[in-house]
Amino acid sequence: MAWFKRTDKGIQTPTEEKKDTPKGLWYKTPSGKIIDTDELKKNLYVSPEDGYHVRVGSKEYFELFFDDNTYTELNKKLSSKDPLKFEDTKKYPERLKAAQEKTGLKDAVRTAVGKSAGKDLVIACMDFAFIGGSMGSVVGEKIARAIDYSIEKNIPFLMISKSGGARMMEASLSLMQLVKTSVKLAQLADAKIPYVSLCTDPTTGGTTASFAMLGDINIAEPNALIAFAGPRVVKDTTGKELPEGFQRSEFVLEHGFLDAIYERKNLKKQVNLYLDLIQNQPVRA
């Protein structure tokens, strides 16, 4: 059948033959810059026009850090229960199931071990797509177990944070994870095993109040929101205008809460450089 046909109204494409542009071919950054999604992926999901770092998850960070994207996932089958029988607009188990089906994840963090620049590295990486990267009991437990693995195998630990904070559906059980992960990091320090914390957009709430700010080295991606309470909450509480860029990684660095900011393309090199220096080992090329 012909692609075009002539009518009284001119040449038209038959409705059943119209080819819609597939969704997702282009990405528009907050500044209005537009980039082809294939090019965006090749550029590690960073817009070359304005340097905007698109939010990505554990899949992309594991691919970035682990050599040949080869790693062994730890405790991959852990998933949350509903000890508090929590219900808001829907029951917590229903919300968990929906998040798992939507994301293909068990919970808001994945942990893995593999080679990075030729040496072993344990990584815990949060996924904001799973209930806003909220920190429930499984998140804390998986991070704790990953730290235990680092201690047992004497392997450096990298935490990649991306979180909206504590998980309200688990209430005090969620808040207990701040203490648990902090204690585990103290044990890691006692074992003299290096810990690098990478804050990405956003790193907020209980995550910031615990493991995200306890690294031997604390680094971030450009323009990442790093805060306990977000800017809107702070402004509504204080009633004052906030400084420009308030709580973005550049602001946080300027005020002494970060050691450095690196573009995504430089993260693997810089993290492994820090690990070599901390361990007094030859610097990898």
Side-chain angles (χ1 to χ4, degrees):
M1 187 179 293
W3 176 251
F4 297 105
K5 71 177 182 180
R6 190 176 298 279
T7 69
D8 293 338
K9 297 180 181 180
I11 296 176
Q12 293 184 336
T13 303
T15 302
E16 68 273 12
E17 296 178 35
K18 287 183 178 179
K19 303 292 185 182
D20 291 329
T21 302
K23 293 182 179 180
L25 285 181
W26 303 93
Y27 182 86
K28 185 176 182 181
T29 71
S31 66
K33 303 297 182 182
I34 298 175
I35 179 175
D36 179 271
T37 51
D38 287 338
E39 290 300 314
L40 187 67
K41 183 177 180 180
K42 290 177 184 177
N43 204 43
L44 303 177
Y45 297 95
V46 177
S47 169
E49 293 282 342
D50 56 9
Y52 177 73
H53 283 54
V54 179
R55 290 178 182 175
V56 294
S58 56
K59 177 181 179 294
E60 291 77 16
Y61 282 112
F62 285 174
E63 185 175 355
L64 172 66
F65 277 100
F66 287 125
D67 298 345
D68 301 319
N69 196 27
T70 300
Y71 56 88
T72 300
E73 190 167 348
L74 306 172
N75 303 297
K76 63 188 299 183
K77 294 184 179 180
L78 283 184
S79 60
S80 290
K81 301 295 184 182
D82 184 25
L84 304 181
K85 308 300 180 185
F86 187 92
E87 182 175 356
D88 47 20
T89 56
K90 64 172 66 174
K91 294 181 179 180
Y92 184 38
E94 294 175 2
R95 195 175 295 280
L96 283 171
K97 182 178 179 181
Q100 289 169 348
E101 291 176 349
K102 179 181 178 181
T103 64
L105 302 167
K106 282 291 187 180
D107 215 290
V109 71
R110 291 172 70 209
T111 57
V113 59
K115 300 286 187 183
S116 184
K119 292 186 178 181
D120 289 333
L121 180 64
V122 174
I123 301 178
C125 182
M126 304 188 78
D127 282 279
F128 193 78
F130 195 98
I131 314 183
S134 52
M135 184 173 58
S137 54
V138 165
V139 170
E141 181 65 17
K142 290 185 73 170
I143 293 172
R145 292 191 188 188
I147 296 170
D148 284 339
Y149 187 93
S150 287
I151 295 172
E152 178 186 352
K153 303 294 184 180
N154 194 28
I155 300 173
F157 180 63
L158 169 64
M159 182 73 226
I160 304 174
S161 298
K162 187 186 297 284
S163 174
R167 187 171 298 176
M168 60 175 287
M169 304 84 165
E170 296 189 24
S172 60
L173 295 178
S174 174
L175 296 178
M176 289 167 63
Q177 308 313 309
L178 281 74
V179 179
K180 179 163 69 176
T181 54
S182 298
V183 168
K184 286 296 179 182
L185 288 172
Q187 293 174 358
L188 190 74
D190 289 341
K192 301 188 184 304
I193 297 173
Y195 164 43
V196 176
S197 174
L198 168 58
C199 300
T200 68
D201 184 53
T203 298
T204 62
T207 297
T208 310
S210 56
F211 52 83
M213 284 294 164
L214 294 177
D216 299 313
I217 302 290
N218 295 324
I219 62 175
E221 291 185 335
N223 200 42
L225 175 64
I226 303 171
F228 180 68
R232 179 182 57 81
V233 174
V234 174
K235 183 177 180 179
D236 290 346
T237 302
T238 64
K240 297 181 179 180
E241 289 296 323
L242 304 174
E244 184 177 354
F246 180 64
Q247 294 181 323
R248 292 291 168 177
S249 49
E250 292 77 8
F251 184 94
V252 178
L253 174 67
E254 182 181 348
H255 289 79
F257 290 93
L258 287 175
D259 296 297
I261 297 171
Y262 295 110
E263 294 184 16
R264 193 170 290 159
K265 64 182 179 182
N266 296 323
L267 286 173
K268 181 176 180 178
K269 177 182 178 181
Q270 292 297 333
V271 166
N272 285 303
L273 172 62
Y274 281 134
L275 295 177
D276 290 340
L277 294 175
I278 291 171
Q279 297 178 103
N280 195 27
Q281 296 179 351
V283 173
R284 286 165 278 180

PDB file of all heavy atoms in Angstrom, residues 227-254:
ATOM      1  N   ALA A 227      21.242  17.482  51.427  1.00  0.00           N
ATOM      2  CA  ALA A 227      20.612  18.209  52.534  1.00  0.00           C
ATOM      3  C   ALA A 227      20.001  17.233  53.516  1.00  0.00           C
ATOM      4  O   ALA A 227      19.873  16.049  53.234  1.00  0.00           O
ATOM      5  CB  ALA A 227      19.518  19.127  51.989  1.00  0.00           C
ATOM      6  N   PHE A 228      19.637  17.754  54.689  1.00  0.00           N
ATOM      7  CA  PHE A 228      18.796  16.968  55.589  1.00  0.00           C
ATOM      8  C   PHE A 228      17.342  17.287  55.255  1.00  0.00           C
ATOM      9  O   PHE A 228      16.623  16.471  54.729  1.00  0.00           O
ATOM     10  CB  PHE A 228      19.107  17.266  57.056  1.00  0.00           C
ATOM     11  CG  PHE A 228      18.251  16.460  57.992  1.00  0.00           C
ATOM     12  CD1 PHE A 228      18.417  15.082  58.087  1.00  0.00           C
ATOM     13  CD2 PHE A 228      17.271  17.055  58.757  1.00  0.00           C
ATOM     14  CE1 PHE A 228      17.611  14.310  58.925  1.00  0.00           C
ATOM     15  CE2 PHE A 228      16.456  16.299  59.606  1.00  0.00           C
ATOM     16  CZ  PHE A 228      16.641  14.926  59.684  1.00  0.00           C
ATOM     17  N   ALA A 229      16.908  18.507  55.520  1.00  0.00           N
ATOM     18  CA  ALA A 229      15.602  18.964  55.056  1.00  0.00           C
ATOM     19  C   ALA A 229      15.815  19.760  53.775  1.00  0.00           C
ATOM     20  O   ALA A 229      16.767  20.518  53.656  1.00  0.00           O
ATOM     21  CB  ALA A 229      14.938  19.826  56.120  1.00  0.00           C
ATOM     22  N   GLY A 230      14.934  19.574  52.803  1.00  0.00           N
ATOM     23  CA  GLY A 230      15.078  20.244  51.515  1.00  0.00           C
ATOM     24  C   GLY A 230      14.886  21.748  51.598  1.00  0.00           C
ATOM     25  O   GLY A 230      14.386  22.275  52.595  1.00  0.00           O
ATOM     26  N   PRO A 231      15.276  22.462  50.537  1.00  0.00           N
ATOM     27  CA  PRO A 231      15.196  23.930  50.540  1.00  0.00           C
ATOM     28  C   PRO A 231      13.798  24.478  50.798  1.00  0.00           C
ATOM     29  O   PRO A 231      13.642  25.468  51.515  1.00  0.00           O
ATOM     30  CB  PRO A 231      15.672  24.299  49.124  1.00  0.00           C
ATOM     31  CG  PRO A 231      16.457  23.139  48.645  1.00  0.00           C
ATOM     32  CD  PRO A 231      15.868  21.931  49.295  1.00  0.00           C
ATOM     33  N   ARG A 232      12.775  23.844  50.236  1.00  0.00           N
ATOM     34  CA  ARG A 232      11.411  24.336  50.439  1.00  0.00           C
ATOM     35  C   ARG A 232      11.010  24.243  51.905  1.00  0.00           C
ATOM     36  O   ARG A 232      10.416  25.174  52.462  1.00  0.00           O
ATOM     37  CB  ARG A 232      10.441  23.539  49.560  1.00  0.00           C
ATOM     38  CG  ARG A 232       8.986  23.970  49.724  1.00  0.00           C
ATOM     39  CD  ARG A 232       8.061  23.125  48.862  1.00  0.00           C
ATOM     40  NE  ARG A 232       8.191  21.706  49.165  1.00  0.00           N
ATOM     41  CZ  ARG A 232       7.596  21.121  50.200  1.00  0.00           C
ATOM     42  NH1 ARG A 232       6.868  21.836  51.048  1.00  0.00           N
ATOM     43  NH2 ARG A 232       7.748  19.823  50.398  1.00  0.00           N
ATOM     44  N   VAL A 233      11.347  23.120  52.548  1.00  0.00           N
ATOM     45  CA  VAL A 233      11.010  22.932  53.961  1.00  0.00           C
ATOM     46  C   VAL A 233      11.750  23.956  54.821  1.00  0.00           C
ATOM     47  O   VAL A 233      11.170  24.558  55.739  1.00  0.00           O
ATOM     48  CB  VAL A 233      11.360  21.506  54.418  1.00  0.00           C
ATOM     49  CG1 VAL A 233      11.138  21.350  55.922  1.00  0.00           C
ATOM     50  CG2 VAL A 233      10.530  20.482  53.650  1.00  0.00           C
ATOM     51  N   VAL A 234      13.033  24.166  54.522  1.00  0.00           N
ATOM     52  CA  VAL A 234      13.823  25.132  55.289  1.00  0.00           C
ATOM     53  C   VAL A 234      13.247  26.538  55.143  1.00  0.00           C
ATOM     54  O   VAL A 234      13.100  27.283  56.118  1.00  0.00           O
ATOM     55  CB  VAL A 234      15.301  25.105  54.840  1.00  0.00           C
ATOM     56  CG1 VAL A 234      16.088  26.214  55.535  1.00  0.00           C
ATOM     57  CG2 VAL A 234      15.920  23.748  55.138  1.00  0.00           C
ATOM     58  N   LYS A 235      12.894  26.902  53.904  1.00  0.00           N
ATOM     59  CA  LYS A 235      12.345  28.242  53.668  1.00  0.00           C
ATOM     60  C   LYS A 235      11.008  28.422  54.372  1.00  0.00           C
ATOM     61  O   LYS A 235      10.742  29.461  54.990  1.00  0.00           O
ATOM     62  CB  LYS A 235      12.189  28.484  52.172  1.00  0.00           C
ATOM     63  CG  LYS A 235      11.697  29.885  51.836  1.00  0.00           C
ATOM     64  CD  LYS A 235      11.630  30.113  50.334  1.00  0.00           C
ATOM     65  CE  LYS A 235      11.127  31.517  50.032  1.00  0.00           C
ATOM     66  NZ  LYS A 235      11.068  31.757  48.567  1.00  0.00           N
ATOM     67  N   ASP A 236      10.152  27.390  54.296  1.00  0.00           N
ATOM     68  CA  ASP A 236       8.842  27.483  54.958  1.00  0.00           C
ATOM     69  C   ASP A 236       8.989  27.562  56.473  1.00  0.00           C
ATOM     70  O   ASP A 236       8.192  28.212  57.155  1.00  0.00           O
ATOM     71  CB  ASP A 236       7.984  26.264  54.593  1.00  0.00           C
ATOM     72  CG  ASP A 236       7.525  26.281  53.141  1.00  0.00           C
ATOM     73  OD1 ASP A 236       7.651  27.344  52.508  1.00  0.00           O
ATOM     74  OD2 ASP A 236       7.062  25.234  52.656  1.00  0.00           O
ATOM     75  N   THR A 237      10.027  26.931  57.002  1.00  0.00           N
ATOM     76  CA  THR A 237      10.245  26.916  58.446  1.00  0.00           C
ATOM     77  C   THR A 237      10.840  28.231  58.949  1.00  0.00           C
ATOM     78  O   THR A 237      10.410  28.781  59.967  1.00  0.00           O
ATOM     79  CB  THR A 237      11.173  25.752  58.843  1.00  0.00           C
ATOM     80  OG1 THR A 237      10.592  24.522  58.400  1.00  0.00           O
ATOM     81  CG2 THR A 237      11.377  25.699  60.346  1.00  0.00           C
ATOM     82  N   THR A 238      11.832  28.731  58.216  1.00  0.00           N
ATOM     83  CA  THR A 238      12.535  29.940  58.666  1.00  0.00           C
ATOM     84  C   THR A 238      11.897  31.224  58.160  1.00  0.00           C
ATOM     85  O   THR A 238      12.084  32.296  58.753  1.00  0.00           O
ATOM     86  CB  THR A 238      13.997  29.905  58.189  1.00  0.00           C
ATOM     87  OG1 THR A 238      14.038  29.931  56.750  1.00  0.00           O
ATOM     88  CG2 THR A 238      14.708  28.658  58.687  1.00  0.00           C
ATOM     89  N   GLY A 239      11.162  31.103  57.046  1.00  0.00           N
ATOM     90  CA  GLY A 239      10.548  32.297  56.468  1.00  0.00           C
ATOM     91  C   GLY A 239      11.539  33.226  55.802  1.00  0.00           C
ATOM     92  O   GLY A 239      11.223  34.394  55.536  1.00  0.00           O
ATOM     93  N   LYS A 240      12.735  32.739  55.514  1.00  0.00           N
ATOM     94  CA  LYS A 240      13.779  33.578  54.929  1.00  0.00           C
ATOM     95  C   LYS A 240      14.142  33.114  53.518  1.00  0.00           C
ATOM     96  O   LYS A 240      14.014  31.944  53.185  1.00  0.00           O
ATOM     97  CB  LYS A 240      15.031  33.553  55.809  1.00  0.00           C
ATOM     98  CG  LYS A 240      14.830  34.133  57.193  1.00  0.00           C
ATOM     99  CD  LYS A 240      16.121  34.092  57.998  1.00  0.00           C
ATOM    100  CE  LYS A 240      15.929  34.693  59.385  1.00  0.00           C
ATOM    101  NZ  LYS A 240      17.186  34.647  60.186  1.00  0.00           N
ATOM    102  N   GLU A 241      14.596  34.085  52.705  1.00  0.00           N
ATOM    103  CA  GLU A 241      15.093  33.745  51.377  1.00  0.00           C
ATOM    104  C   GLU A 241      16.433  33.020  51.518  1.00  0.00           C
ATOM    105  O   GLU A 241      17.294  33.432  52.295  1.00  0.00           O
ATOM    106  CB  GLU A 241      15.274  35.007  50.529  1.00  0.00           C
ATOM    107  CG  GLU A 241      13.974  35.653  50.088  1.00  0.00           C
ATOM    108  CD  GLU A 241      13.151  34.754  49.170  1.00  0.00           C
ATOM    109  OE1 GLU A 241      13.770  34.049  48.339  1.00  0.00           O
ATOM    110  OE2 GLU A 241      11.914  34.758  49.287  1.00  0.00           O
ATOM    111  N   LEU A 242      16.592  31.958  50.773  1.00  0.00           N
ATOM    112  CA  LEU A 242      17.802  31.152  50.864  1.00  0.00           C
ATOM    113  C   LEU A 242      18.827  31.593  49.832  1.00  0.00           C
ATOM    114  O   LEU A 242      18.479  32.112  48.768  1.00  0.00           O
ATOM    115  CB  LEU A 242      17.445  29.677  50.648  1.00  0.00           C
ATOM    116  CG  LEU A 242      16.375  29.135  51.605  1.00  0.00           C
ATOM    117  CD1 LEU A 242      15.986  27.720  51.225  1.00  0.00           C
ATOM    118  CD2 LEU A 242      16.882  29.181  53.038  1.00  0.00           C
ATOM    119  N   PRO A 243      20.116  31.401  50.119  1.00  0.00           N
ATOM    120  CA  PRO A 243      21.162  31.782  49.163  1.00  0.00           C
ATOM    121  C   PRO A 243      20.997  31.022  47.845  1.00  0.00           C
ATOM    122  O   PRO A 243      20.460  29.912  47.807  1.00  0.00           O
ATOM    123  CB  PRO A 243      22.463  31.369  49.869  1.00  0.00           C
ATOM    124  CG  PRO A 243      22.108  31.254  51.312  1.00  0.00           C
ATOM    125  CD  PRO A 243      20.668  30.834  51.358  1.00  0.00           C
ATOM    126  N   GLU A 244      21.472  31.606  46.770  1.00  0.00           N
ATOM    127  CA  GLU A 244      21.395  30.959  45.464  1.00  0.00           C
ATOM    128  C   GLU A 244      22.183  29.645  45.490  1.00  0.00           C
ATOM    129  O   GLU A 244      23.292  29.579  46.002  1.00  0.00           O
ATOM    130  CB  GLU A 244      21.963  31.880  44.381  1.00  0.00           C
ATOM    131  CG  GLU A 244      21.824  31.311  42.970  1.00  0.00           C
ATOM    132  CD  GLU A 244      22.328  32.278  41.919  1.00  0.00           C
ATOM    133  OE1 GLU A 244      22.673  33.427  42.277  1.00  0.00           O
ATOM    134  OE2 GLU A 244      22.377  31.885  40.739  1.00  0.00           O
ATOM    135  N   GLY A 245      21.589  28.605  44.935  1.00  0.00           N
ATOM    136  CA  GLY A 245      22.256  27.306  44.912  1.00  0.00           C
ATOM    137  C   GLY A 245      22.285  26.615  46.262  1.00  0.00           C
ATOM    138  O   GLY A 245      23.038  25.657  46.454  1.00  0.00           O
ATOM    139  N   PHE A 246      21.464  27.093  47.189  1.00  0.00           N
ATOM    140  CA  PHE A 246      21.444  26.553  48.549  1.00  0.00           C
ATOM    141  C   PHE A 246      21.292  25.037  48.534  1.00  0.00           C
ATOM    142  O   PHE A 246      20.412  24.490  47.886  1.00  0.00           O
ATOM    143  CB  PHE A 246      20.283  27.192  49.318  1.00  0.00           C
ATOM    144  CG  PHE A 246      20.137  26.734  50.740  1.00  0.00           C
ATOM    145  CD1 PHE A 246      21.129  26.991  51.668  1.00  0.00           C
ATOM    146  CD2 PHE A 246      19.004  26.061  51.148  1.00  0.00           C
ATOM    147  CE1 PHE A 246      20.986  26.582  52.992  1.00  0.00           C
ATOM    148  CE2 PHE A 246      18.844  25.647  52.465  1.00  0.00           C
ATOM    149  CZ  PHE A 246      19.843  25.909  53.386  1.00  0.00           C
ATOM    150  N   GLN A 247      22.188  24.346  49.226  1.00  0.00           N
ATOM    151  CA  GLN A 247      22.195  22.897  49.407  1.00  0.00           C
ATOM    152  C   GLN A 247      22.559  22.113  48.145  1.00  0.00           C
ATOM    153  O   GLN A 247      22.455  20.887  48.139  1.00  0.00           O
ATOM    154  CB  GLN A 247      20.838  22.407  49.962  1.00  0.00           C
ATOM    155  CG  GLN A 247      20.572  22.910  51.380  1.00  0.00           C
ATOM    156  CD  GLN A 247      19.259  22.422  51.941  1.00  0.00           C
ATOM    157  OE1 GLN A 247      18.271  22.307  51.226  1.00  0.00           O
ATOM    158  NE2 GLN A 247      19.226  22.141  53.230  1.00  0.00           N
ATOM    159  N   ARG A 248      22.999  22.769  47.106  1.00  0.00           N
ATOM    160  CA  ARG A 248      23.559  22.057  45.971  1.00  0.00           C
ATOM    161  C   ARG A 248      25.015  21.713  46.297  1.00  0.00           C
ATOM    162  O   ARG A 248      25.642  22.314  47.175  1.00  0.00           O
ATOM    163  CB  ARG A 248      23.459  22.900  44.703  1.00  0.00           C
ATOM    164  CG  ARG A 248      22.024  23.096  44.238  1.00  0.00           C
ATOM    165  CD  ARG A 248      21.435  21.798  43.724  1.00  0.00           C
ATOM    166  NE  ARG A 248      19.983  21.874  43.544  1.00  0.00           N
ATOM    167  CZ  ARG A 248      19.259  20.878  43.045  1.00  0.00           C
ATOM    168  NH1 ARG A 248      19.836  19.749  42.677  1.00  0.00           N
ATOM    169  NH2 ARG A 248      17.948  20.997  42.930  1.00  0.00           N
ATOM    170  N   SER A 249      25.557  20.729  45.600  1.00  0.00           N
ATOM    171  CA  SER A 249      26.878  20.209  45.976  1.00  0.00           C
ATOM    172  C   SER A 249      27.954  21.293  45.991  1.00  0.00           C
ATOM    173  O   SER A 249      28.843  21.273  46.850  1.00  0.00           O
ATOM    174  CB  SER A 249      27.285  19.058  45.053  1.00  0.00           C
ATOM    175  OG  SER A 249      27.125  19.380  43.706  1.00  0.00           O
ATOM    176  N   GLU A 250      27.873  22.260  45.086  1.00  0.00           N
ATOM    177  CA  GLU A 250      28.862  23.343  45.073  1.00  0.00           C
ATOM    178  C   GLU A 250      28.775  24.186  46.346  1.00  0.00           C
ATOM    179  O   GLU A 250      29.803  24.587  46.913  1.00  0.00           O
ATOM    180  CB  GLU A 250      28.662  24.228  43.827  1.00  0.00           C
ATOM    181  CG  GLU A 250      28.985  23.559  42.516  1.00  0.00           C
ATOM    182  CD  GLU A 250      27.907  22.588  42.028  1.00  0.00           C
ATOM    183  OE1 GLU A 250      26.802  22.550  42.647  1.00  0.00           O
ATOM    184  OE2 GLU A 250      28.154  21.856  41.046  1.00  0.00           O
ATOM    185  N   PHE A 251      27.561  24.450  46.809  1.00  0.00           N
ATOM    186  CA  PHE A 251      27.339  25.193  48.052  1.00  0.00           C
ATOM    187  C   PHE A 251      27.851  24.385  49.242  1.00  0.00           C
ATOM    188  O   PHE A 251      28.514  24.912  50.152  1.00  0.00           O
ATOM    189  CB  PHE A 251      25.847  25.482  48.191  1.00  0.00           C
ATOM    190  CG  PHE A 251      25.470  26.336  49.383  1.00  0.00           C
ATOM    191  CD1 PHE A 251      25.336  27.701  49.262  1.00  0.00           C
ATOM    192  CD2 PHE A 251      25.217  25.755  50.620  1.00  0.00           C
ATOM    193  CE1 PHE A 251      24.989  28.492  50.359  1.00  0.00           C
ATOM    194  CE2 PHE A 251      24.864  26.521  51.713  1.00  0.00           C
ATOM    195  CZ  PHE A 251      24.746  27.889  51.585  1.00  0.00           C
ATOM    196  N   VAL A 252      27.563  23.087  49.234  1.00  0.00           N
ATOM    197  CA  VAL A 252      27.984  22.210  50.331  1.00  0.00           C
ATOM    198  C   VAL A 252      29.512  22.104  50.380  1.00  0.00           C
ATOM    199  O   VAL A 252      30.117  22.112  51.460  1.00  0.00           O
ATOM    200  CB  VAL A 252      27.342  20.816  50.180  1.00  0.00           C
ATOM    201  CG1 VAL A 252      27.799  19.880  51.292  1.00  0.00           C
ATOM    202  CG2 VAL A 252      25.814  20.927  50.186  1.00  0.00           C
ATOM    203  N   LEU A 253      30.140  22.029  49.209  1.00  0.00           N
ATOM    204  CA  LEU A 253      31.603  21.996  49.145  1.00  0.00           C
ATOM    205  C   LEU A 253      32.202  23.287  49.695  1.00  0.00           C
ATOM    206  O   LEU A 253      33.150  23.259  50.502  1.00  0.00           O
ATOM    207  CB  LEU A 253      32.054  21.796  47.693  1.00  0.00           C
ATOM    208  CG  LEU A 253      33.565  21.882  47.425  1.00  0.00           C
ATOM    209  CD1 LEU A 253      34.307  20.728  48.087  1.00  0.00           C
ATOM    210  CD2 LEU A 253      33.845  21.893  45.916  1.00  0.00           C
ATOM    211  N   GLU A 254      31.644  24.401  49.295  1.00  0.00           N
ATOM    212  CA  GLU A 254      32.147  25.710  49.744  1.00  0.00           C
ATOM    213  C   GLU A 254      32.074  25.849  51.257  1.00  0.00           C
ATOM    214  O   GLU A 254      32.925  26.508  51.876  1.00  0.00           O
ATOM    215  CB  GLU A 254      31.331  26.823  49.073  1.00  0.00           C
ATOM    216  CG  GLU A 254      31.792  28.228  49.427  1.00  0.00           C
ATOM    217  CD  GLU A 254      30.956  29.299  48.758  1.00  0.00           C
ATOM    218  OE1 GLU A 254      30.160  28.963  47.854  1.00  0.00           O
ATOM    219  OE2 GLU A 254      31.093  30.484  49.139  1.00  0.00           O
TER     220      GLU A 254
END
